[in-house]
Amino acid sequence: LGKKTEQSIERLHEHEIELEEQVDKTTAHANGRLRDVGVMEQKSKQYDLQRQNVEQLLLQRGFDEELVHSKLVAQAKEVHALQEKKNALLQQLRYYQDLPPDVTLAKVVIEEKKRRVREAERKIEDTMALLS
């Protein structure tokens, strides 16, 4: 055979050896992964059993599902929303409580407020005119 052919065969043989080494490394790595997966499956089953045992124990001891964190958080949000609604209603009530009990006096107070609003609007218009 020619020198080039012998060199090509030698290179092919070197590549073959490299590929075999890579296959060995990859096989070892894959086997390690398979072992890891087996361990993870075992742990998963173990954790499931532990979780089921804990859930049974909680139920035996009278655990109330309403005390779960997510439900408590949801209830806290509801309470906050209701408090805001209550505060808005209290503010509205204060407006009515500020009115005198007599209807004629209430009308006088309302007219006074309307006059103040008109006066404020006039001042705003005057200021806007000065700015223009």
Side-chain angles (χ1 to χ4, degrees), residues 14-78:
E14 289 171 4
H15 284 299
E16 180 183 8
I17 291 170
E18 287 176 16
L19 287 174
E20 286 176 0
E21 288 173 358
Q22 286 180 356
V23 166
D24 290 343
K25 287 179 184 177
T26 305
T27 302
H29 184 70
N31 288 337
R33 288 286 192 180
L34 282 174
R35 276 191 309 275
D36 291 347
V37 167
V39 168
M40 292 297 184
E41 286 176 346
Q42 274 183 319
K43 283 189 178 267
S44 176
K45 288 177 184 176
Q46 178 185 358
Y47 291 148
D48 280 341
L49 283 174
Q50 286 177 346
R51 181 188 49 80
Q52 289 172 358
N53 290 337
V54 168
E55 285 176 355
Q56 283 180 341
L57 184 63
L58 286 172
L59 290 175
Q60 289 171 358
R61 297 206 175 154
F63 174 72
D64 185 5
E65 283 288 326
E66 291 298 315
L67 298 177
V68 176
H69 181 268
S70 58
K71 289 189 179 183
L72 292 174
V73 169
Q75 287 176 350
K77 288 180 181 176
E78 286 179 35

Side-chain angles (χ1 to χ4, degrees), residues 109-122:
V109 170
I110 290 172
E111 287 302 319
E112 176 62 23
K113 301 274 183 189
K114 285 180 181 179
R115 185 187 63 73
R116 286 184 186 172
V117 168
R118 284 192 301 269
E119 188 177 307
E121 286 176 345
R122 186 182 50 76

Side-chain angles (χ1 to χ4, degrees), residues 95-108:
Y95 293 140
Y96 289 105
Q97 287 175 337
D98 287 344
L99 291 175
D102 183 24
V103 175
T104 53
L105 290 176
K107 287 180 181 179
V108 170

Side-chain angles (χ1 to χ4, degrees), residues 125-132:
E125 288 174 1
D126 291 345
T127 304
M128 293 300 287
L130 289 175
L131 293 175
S132 298

